[in-house]
Amino acid sequence: MQRSYRPPQPLRFLIIGALATLTHLVCALALAWSAPDLSVYLINAVAFAIAFLVSFYGHTYVTFRRGGSMARF
């Protein structure tokens, strides 16, 4: 049986970071486009919160593959 390829941890870290950044940008742009009356600070806070979840769960389950506390993250 052949083992599947798994990128090294630093590369997985960079990929998850790039996904979180892209998530933040897409969410911020979508919110700014769909609700132009919202404050840019609120838009940024919501986009950050969503990107934070992507980053936390990505690093927990893909990069480091172990449980973790969101408070410590």
Side-chain angles (χ1 to χ4, degrees):
M1 182 159 62
Q2 189 176 9
R3 292 177 57 175
S4 62
Y5 172 73
R6 185 163 168 202
Q9 188 175 13
L11 182 58
R12 293 191 314 256
F13 186 85
L14 288 172
I15 291 168
I16 296 300
L19 280 173
T21 301
L22 185 63
T23 300
H24 187 143
L25 290 172
V26 168
C27 289
L29 288 173
L31 282 170
W33 181 78
S34 64
D37 295 334
L38 285 179
S39 163
V40 293
Y41 300 110
L42 179 60
I43 289 171
N44 189 51
V46 170
F48 173 80
I50 295 168
F52 176 84
L53 293 174
V54 169
S55 180
F56 174 75
Y57 287 110
H59 287 308
T60 298
Y61 296 110
V62 176
T63 303
F64 302 114
R65 295 189 67 164
R66 63 178 176 202
S69 166
M70 195 174 290
R72 290 186 64 204
F73 186 70

PDB file of all heavy atoms in Angstrom, residues 17-53:
ATOM      1  N   GLY A  17      -2.033  29.883   6.890  1.00  0.00           N
ATOM      2  CA  GLY A  17      -1.954  31.337   7.043  1.00  0.00           C
ATOM      3  C   GLY A  17      -2.458  32.065   5.811  1.00  0.00           C
ATOM      4  O   GLY A  17      -3.175  33.071   5.914  1.00  0.00           O
ATOM      5  N   ALA A  18      -2.106  31.559   4.638  1.00  0.00           N
ATOM      6  CA  ALA A  18      -2.585  32.173   3.398  1.00  0.00           C
ATOM      7  C   ALA A  18      -4.102  32.016   3.260  1.00  0.00           C
ATOM      8  O   ALA A  18      -4.789  32.954   2.828  1.00  0.00           O
ATOM      9  CB  ALA A  18      -1.874  31.539   2.202  1.00  0.00           C
ATOM     10  N   LEU A  19      -4.632  30.862   3.648  1.00  0.00           N
ATOM     11  CA  LEU A  19      -6.087  30.657   3.603  1.00  0.00           C
ATOM     12  C   LEU A  19      -6.816  31.598   4.568  1.00  0.00           C
ATOM     13  O   LEU A  19      -7.869  32.137   4.229  1.00  0.00           O
ATOM     14  CB  LEU A  19      -6.433  29.207   3.945  1.00  0.00           C
ATOM     15  CG  LEU A  19      -6.273  28.197   2.833  1.00  0.00           C
ATOM     16  CD1 LEU A  19      -6.486  26.781   3.364  1.00  0.00           C
ATOM     17  CD2 LEU A  19      -7.244  28.491   1.713  1.00  0.00           C
ATOM     18  N   ALA A  20      -6.253  31.794   5.748  1.00  0.00           N
ATOM     19  CA  ALA A  20      -6.870  32.707   6.716  1.00  0.00           C
ATOM     20  C   ALA A  20      -6.841  34.144   6.188  1.00  0.00           C
ATOM     21  O   ALA A  20      -7.826  34.883   6.325  1.00  0.00           O
ATOM     22  CB  ALA A  20      -6.164  32.612   8.058  1.00  0.00           C
ATOM     23  N   THR A  21      -5.741  34.542   5.575  1.00  0.00           N
ATOM     24  CA  THR A  21      -5.640  35.883   5.001  1.00  0.00           C
ATOM     25  C   THR A  21      -6.639  36.064   3.871  1.00  0.00           C
ATOM     26  O   THR A  21      -7.331  37.088   3.791  1.00  0.00           O
ATOM     27  CB  THR A  21      -4.204  36.129   4.487  1.00  0.00           C
ATOM     28  OG1 THR A  21      -3.300  35.986   5.580  1.00  0.00           O
ATOM     29  CG2 THR A  21      -4.067  37.506   3.874  1.00  0.00           C
ATOM     30  N   LEU A  22      -6.722  35.081   3.002  1.00  0.00           N
ATOM     31  CA  LEU A  22      -7.676  35.137   1.900  1.00  0.00           C
ATOM     32  C   LEU A  22      -9.106  35.177   2.421  1.00  0.00           C
ATOM     33  O   LEU A  22      -9.943  35.920   1.886  1.00  0.00           O
ATOM     34  CB  LEU A  22      -7.474  33.933   0.980  1.00  0.00           C
ATOM     35  CG  LEU A  22      -8.309  33.895  -0.285  1.00  0.00           C
ATOM     36  CD1 LEU A  22      -7.964  35.082  -1.177  1.00  0.00           C
ATOM     37  CD2 LEU A  22      -8.071  32.602  -1.030  1.00  0.00           C
ATOM     38  N   THR A  23      -9.384  34.418   3.471  1.00  0.00           N
ATOM     39  CA  THR A  23     -10.715  34.436   4.081  1.00  0.00           C
ATOM     40  C   THR A  23     -11.056  35.824   4.598  1.00  0.00           C
ATOM     41  O   THR A  23     -12.159  36.327   4.383  1.00  0.00           O
ATOM     42  CB  THR A  23     -10.787  33.417   5.232  1.00  0.00           C
ATOM     43  OG1 THR A  23     -10.525  32.116   4.711  1.00  0.00           O
ATOM     44  CG2 THR A  23     -12.140  33.437   5.919  1.00  0.00           C
ATOM     45  N   HIS A  24     -10.105  36.456   5.267  1.00  0.00           N
ATOM     46  CA  HIS A  24     -10.318  37.809   5.791  1.00  0.00           C
ATOM     47  C   HIS A  24     -10.630  38.780   4.654  1.00  0.00           C
ATOM     48  O   HIS A  24     -11.589  39.558   4.734  1.00  0.00           O
ATOM     49  CB  HIS A  24      -9.084  38.262   6.557  1.00  0.00           C
ATOM     50  CG  HIS A  24      -9.265  39.554   7.276  1.00  0.00           C
ATOM     51  ND1 HIS A  24      -8.705  39.790   8.493  1.00  0.00           N
ATOM     52  CD2 HIS A  24      -9.936  40.695   6.973  1.00  0.00           C
ATOM     53  CE1 HIS A  24      -9.030  41.008   8.901  1.00  0.00           C
ATOM     54  NE2 HIS A  24      -9.763  41.576   7.974  1.00  0.00           N
ATOM     55  N   LEU A  25      -9.847  38.736   3.605  1.00  0.00           N
ATOM     56  CA  LEU A  25     -10.049  39.645   2.477  1.00  0.00           C
ATOM     57  C   LEU A  25     -11.396  39.423   1.799  1.00  0.00           C
ATOM     58  O   LEU A  25     -12.117  40.392   1.513  1.00  0.00           O
ATOM     59  CB  LEU A  25      -8.919  39.487   1.463  1.00  0.00           C
ATOM     60  CG  LEU A  25      -7.558  40.009   1.901  1.00  0.00           C
ATOM     61  CD1 LEU A  25      -6.496  39.613   0.878  1.00  0.00           C
ATOM     62  CD2 LEU A  25      -7.593  41.504   2.085  1.00  0.00           C
ATOM     63  N   VAL A  26     -11.730  38.169   1.547  1.00  0.00           N
ATOM     64  CA  VAL A  26     -12.992  37.867   0.865  1.00  0.00           C
ATOM     65  C   VAL A  26     -14.183  38.277   1.725  1.00  0.00           C
ATOM     66  O   VAL A  26     -15.145  38.882   1.229  1.00  0.00           O
ATOM     67  CB  VAL A  26     -13.060  36.369   0.479  1.00  0.00           C
ATOM     68  CG1 VAL A  26     -14.451  35.968   0.042  1.00  0.00           C
ATOM     69  CG2 VAL A  26     -12.041  36.065  -0.606  1.00  0.00           C
ATOM     70  N   CYS A  27     -14.131  37.972   3.018  1.00  0.00           N
ATOM     71  CA  CYS A  27     -15.233  38.352   3.910  1.00  0.00           C
ATOM     72  C   CYS A  27     -15.374  39.867   3.993  1.00  0.00           C
ATOM     73  O   CYS A  27     -16.491  40.394   3.955  1.00  0.00           O
ATOM     74  CB  CYS A  27     -15.017  37.769   5.302  1.00  0.00           C
ATOM     75  SG  CYS A  27     -15.232  36.002   5.390  1.00  0.00           S
ATOM     76  N   ALA A  28     -14.258  40.572   4.129  1.00  0.00           N
ATOM     77  CA  ALA A  28     -14.313  42.037   4.218  1.00  0.00           C
ATOM     78  C   ALA A  28     -14.878  42.643   2.937  1.00  0.00           C
ATOM     79  O   ALA A  28     -15.724  43.540   2.989  1.00  0.00           O
ATOM     80  CB  ALA A  28     -12.925  42.598   4.514  1.00  0.00           C
ATOM     81  N   LEU A  29     -14.420  42.153   1.804  1.00  0.00           N
ATOM     82  CA  LEU A  29     -14.935  42.677   0.530  1.00  0.00           C
ATOM     83  C   LEU A  29     -16.410  42.356   0.353  1.00  0.00           C
ATOM     84  O   LEU A  29     -17.185  43.195  -0.103  1.00  0.00           O
ATOM     85  CB  LEU A  29     -14.127  42.115  -0.639  1.00  0.00           C
ATOM     86  CG  LEU A  29     -12.710  42.668  -0.777  1.00  0.00           C
ATOM     87  CD1 LEU A  29     -11.957  41.905  -1.856  1.00  0.00           C
ATOM     88  CD2 LEU A  29     -12.742  44.155  -1.083  1.00  0.00           C
ATOM     89  N   ALA A  30     -16.819  41.148   0.714  1.00  0.00           N
ATOM     90  CA  ALA A  30     -18.228  40.760   0.580  1.00  0.00           C
ATOM     91  C   ALA A  30     -19.116  41.606   1.487  1.00  0.00           C
ATOM     92  O   ALA A  30     -20.193  42.052   1.074  1.00  0.00           O
ATOM     93  CB  ALA A  30     -18.399  39.280   0.902  1.00  0.00           C
ATOM     94  N   LEU A  31     -18.671  41.844   2.715  1.00  0.00           N
ATOM     95  CA  LEU A  31     -19.449  42.678   3.630  1.00  0.00           C
ATOM     96  C   LEU A  31     -19.504  44.126   3.152  1.00  0.00           C
ATOM     97  O   LEU A  31     -20.556  44.769   3.216  1.00  0.00           O
ATOM     98  CB  LEU A  31     -18.862  42.616   5.039  1.00  0.00           C
ATOM     99  CG  LEU A  31     -19.188  41.366   5.835  1.00  0.00           C
ATOM    100  CD1 LEU A  31     -18.349  41.314   7.106  1.00  0.00           C
ATOM    101  CD2 LEU A  31     -20.660  41.325   6.184  1.00  0.00           C
ATOM    102  N   ALA A  32     -18.387  44.644   2.693  1.00  0.00           N
ATOM    103  CA  ALA A  32     -18.350  46.036   2.217  1.00  0.00           C
ATOM    104  C   ALA A  32     -19.233  46.202   0.981  1.00  0.00           C
ATOM    105  O   ALA A  32     -19.879  47.244   0.811  1.00  0.00           O
ATOM    106  CB  ALA A  32     -16.917  46.447   1.908  1.00  0.00           C
ATOM    107  N   TRP A  33     -19.279  45.191   0.129  1.00  0.00           N
ATOM    108  CA  TRP A  33     -20.080  45.270  -1.077  1.00  0.00           C
ATOM    109  C   TRP A  33     -21.566  45.106  -0.773  1.00  0.00           C
ATOM    110  O   TRP A  33     -22.404  45.811  -1.326  1.00  0.00           O
ATOM    111  CB  TRP A  33     -19.620  44.198  -2.064  1.00  0.00           C
ATOM    112  CG  TRP A  33     -20.386  44.226  -3.345  1.00  0.00           C
ATOM    113  CD1 TRP A  33     -20.224  45.086  -4.386  1.00  0.00           C
ATOM    114  CD2 TRP A  33     -21.459  43.351  -3.707  1.00  0.00           C
ATOM    115  NE1 TRP A  33     -21.117  44.794  -5.380  1.00  0.00           N
ATOM    116  CE2 TRP A  33     -21.903  43.745  -4.991  1.00  0.00           C
ATOM    117  CE3 TRP A  33     -22.078  42.288  -3.072  1.00  0.00           C
ATOM    118  CZ2 TRP A  33     -22.941  43.080  -5.638  1.00  0.00           C
ATOM    119  CZ3 TRP A  33     -23.107  41.634  -3.720  1.00  0.00           C
ATOM    120  CH2 TRP A  33     -23.525  42.050  -4.997  1.00  0.00           C
ATOM    121  N   SER A  34     -21.887  44.147   0.125  1.00  0.00           N
ATOM    122  CA  SER A  34     -23.294  43.852   0.382  1.00  0.00           C
ATOM    123  C   SER A  34     -23.941  44.806   1.386  1.00  0.00           C
ATOM    124  O   SER A  34     -25.159  44.970   1.373  1.00  0.00           O
ATOM    125  CB  SER A  34     -23.447  42.414   0.871  1.00  0.00           C
ATOM    126  OG  SER A  34     -22.794  42.258   2.114  1.00  0.00           O
ATOM    127  N   ALA A  35     -23.146  45.410   2.247  1.00  0.00           N
ATOM    128  CA  ALA A  35     -23.691  46.336   3.254  1.00  0.00           C
ATOM    129  C   ALA A  35     -22.786  47.566   3.335  1.00  0.00           C
ATOM    130  O   ALA A  35     -22.018  47.717   4.282  1.00  0.00           O
ATOM    131  CB  ALA A  35     -23.793  45.645   4.596  1.00  0.00           C
ATOM    132  N   PRO A  36     -22.864  48.448   2.349  1.00  0.00           N
ATOM    133  CA  PRO A  36     -21.932  49.586   2.303  1.00  0.00           C
ATOM    134  C   PRO A  36     -22.115  50.590   3.447  1.00  0.00           C
ATOM    135  O   PRO A  36     -21.219  51.398   3.685  1.00  0.00           O
ATOM    136  CB  PRO A  36     -22.229  50.240   0.954  1.00  0.00           C
ATOM    137  CG  PRO A  36     -23.562  49.746   0.550  1.00  0.00           C
ATOM    138  CD  PRO A  36     -23.760  48.427   1.210  1.00  0.00           C
ATOM    139  N   ASP A  37     -23.230  50.510   4.169  1.00  0.00           N
ATOM    140  CA  ASP A  37     -23.450  51.437   5.273  1.00  0.00           C
ATOM    141  C   ASP A  37     -22.753  51.007   6.566  1.00  0.00           C
ATOM    142  O   ASP A  37     -22.696  51.794   7.510  1.00  0.00           O
ATOM    143  CB  ASP A  37     -24.945  51.599   5.540  1.00  0.00           C
ATOM    144  CG  ASP A  37     -25.659  52.253   4.370  1.00  0.00           C
ATOM    145  OD1 ASP A  37     -25.005  52.989   3.611  1.00  0.00           O
ATOM    146  OD2 ASP A  37     -26.880  52.014   4.210  1.00  0.00           O
ATOM    147  N   LEU A  38     -22.248  49.794   6.611  1.00  0.00           N
ATOM    148  CA  LEU A  38     -21.563  49.320   7.812  1.00  0.00           C
ATOM    149  C   LEU A  38     -20.231  50.047   7.994  1.00  0.00           C
ATOM    150  O   LEU A  38     -19.556  50.402   7.027  1.00  0.00           O
ATOM    151  CB  LEU A  38     -21.289  47.822   7.732  1.00  0.00           C
ATOM    152  CG  LEU A  38     -22.456  46.876   7.930  1.00  0.00           C
ATOM    153  CD1 LEU A  38     -21.989  45.435   7.788  1.00  0.00           C
ATOM    154  CD2 LEU A  38     -23.106  47.086   9.274  1.00  0.00           C
ATOM    155  N   SER A  39     -19.857  50.221   9.231  1.00  0.00           N
ATOM    156  CA  SER A  39     -18.566  50.827   9.556  1.00  0.00           C
ATOM    157  C   SER A  39     -17.436  49.911   9.084  1.00  0.00           C
ATOM    158  O   SER A  39     -17.530  48.680   9.192  1.00  0.00           O
ATOM    159  CB  SER A  39     -18.472  51.016  11.070  1.00  0.00           C
ATOM    160  OG  SER A  39     -17.147  51.224  11.470  1.00  0.00           O
ATOM    161  N   VAL A  40     -16.372  50.505   8.596  1.00  0.00           N
ATOM    162  CA  VAL A  40     -15.225  49.704   8.165  1.00  0.00           C
ATOM    163  C   VAL A  40     -14.614  48.957   9.341  1.00  0.00           C
ATOM    164  O   VAL A  40     -14.041  47.883   9.175  1.00  0.00           O
ATOM    165  CB  VAL A  40     -14.158  50.553   7.445  1.00  0.00           C
ATOM    166  CG1 VAL A  40     -14.684  51.080   6.130  1.00  0.00           C
ATOM    167  CG2 VAL A  40     -13.648  51.663   8.316  1.00  0.00           C
ATOM    168  N   TYR A  41     -14.746  49.512  10.534  1.00  0.00           N
ATOM    169  CA  TYR A  41     -14.226  48.844  11.727  1.00  0.00           C
ATOM    170  C   TYR A  41     -15.026  47.584  12.044  1.00  0.00           C
ATOM    171  O   TYR A  41     -14.461  46.548  12.415  1.00  0.00           O
ATOM    172  CB  TYR A  41     -14.236  49.802  12.923  1.00  0.00           C
ATOM    173  CG  TYR A  41     -13.389  51.018  12.686  1.00  0.00           C
ATOM    174  CD1 TYR A  41     -13.975  52.264  12.511  1.00  0.00           C
ATOM    175  CD2 TYR A  41     -11.996  50.926  12.613  1.00  0.00           C
ATOM    176  CE1 TYR A  41     -13.191  53.390  12.276  1.00  0.00           C
ATOM    177  CE2 TYR A  41     -11.209  52.034  12.374  1.00  0.00           C
ATOM    178  CZ  TYR A  41     -11.819  53.269  12.209  1.00  0.00           C
ATOM    179  OH  TYR A  41     -11.037  54.361  11.980  1.00  0.00           O
ATOM    180  N   LEU A  42     -16.331  47.667  11.897  1.00  0.00           N
ATOM    181  CA  LEU A  42     -17.181  46.497  12.116  1.00  0.00           C
ATOM    182  C   LEU A  42     -16.920  45.438  11.051  1.00  0.00           C
ATOM    183  O   LEU A  42     -16.827  44.247  11.356  1.00  0.00           O
ATOM    184  CB  LEU A  42     -18.661  46.895  12.117  1.00  0.00           C
ATOM    185  CG  LEU A  42     -19.663  45.762  12.319  1.00  0.00           C
ATOM    186  CD1 LEU A  42     -19.432  45.077  13.659  1.00  0.00           C
ATOM    187  CD2 LEU A  42     -21.077  46.288  12.207  1.00  0.00           C
ATOM    188  N   ILE A  43     -16.797  45.866   9.819  1.00  0.00           N
ATOM    189  CA  ILE A  43     -16.499  44.936   8.727  1.00  0.00           C
ATOM    190  C   ILE A  43     -15.189  44.208   9.000  1.00  0.00           C
ATOM    191  O   ILE A  43     -15.087  42.989   8.872  1.00  0.00           O
ATOM    192  CB  ILE A  43     -16.444  45.679   7.376  1.00  0.00           C
ATOM    193  CG1 ILE A  43     -17.848  46.114   6.960  1.00  0.00           C
ATOM    194  CG2 ILE A  43     -15.796  44.819   6.303  1.00  0.00           C
ATOM    195  CD1 ILE A  43     -17.879  47.025   5.754  1.00  0.00           C
ATOM    196  N   ASN A  44     -14.174  44.958   9.411  1.00  0.00           N
ATOM    197  CA  ASN A  44     -12.878  44.357   9.692  1.00  0.00           C
ATOM    198  C   ASN A  44     -12.955  43.402  10.877  1.00  0.00           C
ATOM    199  O   ASN A  44     -12.345  42.325  10.858  1.00  0.00           O
ATOM    200  CB  ASN A  44     -11.835  45.436   9.960  1.00  0.00           C
ATOM    201  CG  ASN A  44     -10.447  44.871  10.032  1.00  0.00           C
ATOM    202  OD1 ASN A  44     -10.007  44.145   9.148  1.00  0.00           O
ATOM    203  ND2 ASN A  44      -9.747  45.190  11.110  1.00  0.00           N
ATOM    204  N   ALA A  45     -13.701  43.759  11.911  1.00  0.00           N
ATOM    205  CA  ALA A  45     -13.822  42.902  13.091  1.00  0.00           C
ATOM    206  C   ALA A  45     -14.517  41.580  12.744  1.00  0.00           C
ATOM    207  O   ALA A  45     -14.075  40.511  13.192  1.00  0.00           O
ATOM    208  CB  ALA A  45     -14.580  43.625  14.190  1.00  0.00           C
ATOM    209  N   VAL A  46     -15.571  41.648  11.962  1.00  0.00           N
ATOM    210  CA  VAL A  46     -16.284  40.427  11.573  1.00  0.00           C
ATOM    211  C   VAL A  46     -15.400  39.558  10.683  1.00  0.00           C
ATOM    212  O   VAL A  46     -15.302  38.338  10.877  1.00  0.00           O
ATOM    213  CB  VAL A  46     -17.618  40.770  10.868  1.00  0.00           C
ATOM    214  CG1 VAL A  46     -18.250  39.535  10.255  1.00  0.00           C
ATOM    215  CG2 VAL A  46     -18.567  41.446  11.843  1.00  0.00           C
ATOM    216  N   ALA A  47     -14.735  40.169   9.721  1.00  0.00           N
ATOM    217  CA  ALA A  47     -13.852  39.416   8.827  1.00  0.00           C
ATOM    218  C   ALA A  47     -12.700  38.791   9.604  1.00  0.00           C
ATOM    219  O   ALA A  47     -12.311  37.644   9.349  1.00  0.00           O
ATOM    220  CB  ALA A  47     -13.324  40.326   7.723  1.00  0.00           C
ATOM    221  N   PHE A  48     -12.173  39.528  10.575  1.00  0.00           N
ATOM    222  CA  PHE A  48     -11.095  38.994  11.402  1.00  0.00           C
ATOM    223  C   PHE A  48     -11.571  37.788  12.209  1.00  0.00           C
ATOM    224  O   PHE A  48     -10.867  36.779  12.317  1.00  0.00           O
ATOM    225  CB  PHE A  48     -10.551  40.059  12.356  1.00  0.00           C
ATOM    226  CG  PHE A  48      -9.567  39.514  13.344  1.00  0.00           C
ATOM    227  CD1 PHE A  48      -8.258  39.296  12.975  1.00  0.00           C
ATOM    228  CD2 PHE A  48      -9.964  39.193  14.626  1.00  0.00           C
ATOM    229  CE1 PHE A  48      -7.349  38.765  13.878  1.00  0.00           C
ATOM    230  CE2 PHE A  48      -9.070  38.660  15.537  1.00  0.00           C
ATOM    231  CZ  PHE A  48      -7.747  38.451  15.166  1.00  0.00           C
ATOM    232  N   ALA A  49     -12.758  37.883  12.788  1.00  0.00           N
ATOM    233  CA  ALA A  49     -13.288  36.788  13.603  1.00  0.00           C
ATOM    234  C   ALA A  49     -13.460  35.510  12.772  1.00  0.00           C
ATOM    235  O   ALA A  49     -13.126  34.418  13.228  1.00  0.00           O
ATOM    236  CB  ALA A  49     -14.618  37.190  14.231  1.00  0.00           C
ATOM    237  N   ILE A  50     -13.942  35.663  11.558  1.00  0.00           N
ATOM    238  CA  ILE A  50     -14.116  34.497  10.684  1.00  0.00           C
ATOM    239  C   ILE A  50     -12.758  33.924  10.280  1.00  0.00           C
ATOM    240  O   ILE A  50     -12.540  32.713  10.313  1.00  0.00           O
ATOM    241  CB  ILE A  50     -14.969  34.867   9.461  1.00  0.00           C
ATOM    242  CG1 ILE A  50     -16.384  35.244   9.907  1.00  0.00           C
ATOM    243  CG2 ILE A  50     -15.006  33.729   8.445  1.00  0.00           C
ATOM    244  CD1 ILE A  50     -17.230  35.892   8.843  1.00  0.00           C
ATOM    245  N   ALA A  51     -11.822  34.803   9.931  1.00  0.00           N
ATOM    246  CA  ALA A  51     -10.482  34.348   9.556  1.00  0.00           C
ATOM    247  C   ALA A  51      -9.767  33.700  10.745  1.00  0.00           C
ATOM    248  O   ALA A  51      -9.000  32.755  10.577  1.00  0.00           O
ATOM    249  CB  ALA A  51      -9.668  35.512   9.014  1.00  0.00           C
ATOM    250  N   PHE A  52     -10.027  34.208  11.945  1.00  0.00           N
ATOM    251  CA  PHE A  52      -9.438  33.618  13.148  1.00  0.00           C
ATOM    252  C   PHE A  52      -9.884  32.168  13.299  1.00  0.00           C
ATOM    253  O   PHE A  52      -9.076  31.294  13.637  1.00  0.00           O
ATOM    254  CB  PHE A  52      -9.843  34.421  14.388  1.00  0.00           C
ATOM    255  CG  PHE A  52      -9.365  33.826  15.674  1.00  0.00           C
ATOM    256  CD1 PHE A  52      -8.083  34.088  16.131  1.00  0.00           C
ATOM    257  CD2 PHE A  52     -10.182  32.986  16.414  1.00  0.00           C
ATOM    258  CE1 PHE A  52      -7.632  33.524  17.316  1.00  0.00           C
ATOM    259  CE2 PHE A  52      -9.739  32.418  17.591  1.00  0.00           C
ATOM    260  CZ  PHE A  52      -8.455  32.690  18.047  1.00  0.00           C
ATOM    261  N   LEU A  53     -11.159  31.907  13.058  1.00  0.00           N
ATOM    262  CA  LEU A  53     -11.666  30.533  13.156  1.00  0.00           C
ATOM    263  C   LEU A  53     -11.010  29.624  12.121  1.00  0.00           C
ATOM    264  O   LEU A  53     -10.646  28.481  12.419  1.00  0.00           O
ATOM    265  CB  LEU A  53     -13.180  30.516  13.007  1.00  0.00           C
ATOM    266  CG  LEU A  53     -13.961  31.175  14.144  1.00  0.00           C
ATOM    267  CD1 LEU A  53     -15.445  31.227  13.804  1.00  0.00           C
ATOM    268  CD2 LEU A  53     -13.727  30.445  15.448  1.00  0.00           C
TER     269      LEU A  53
END
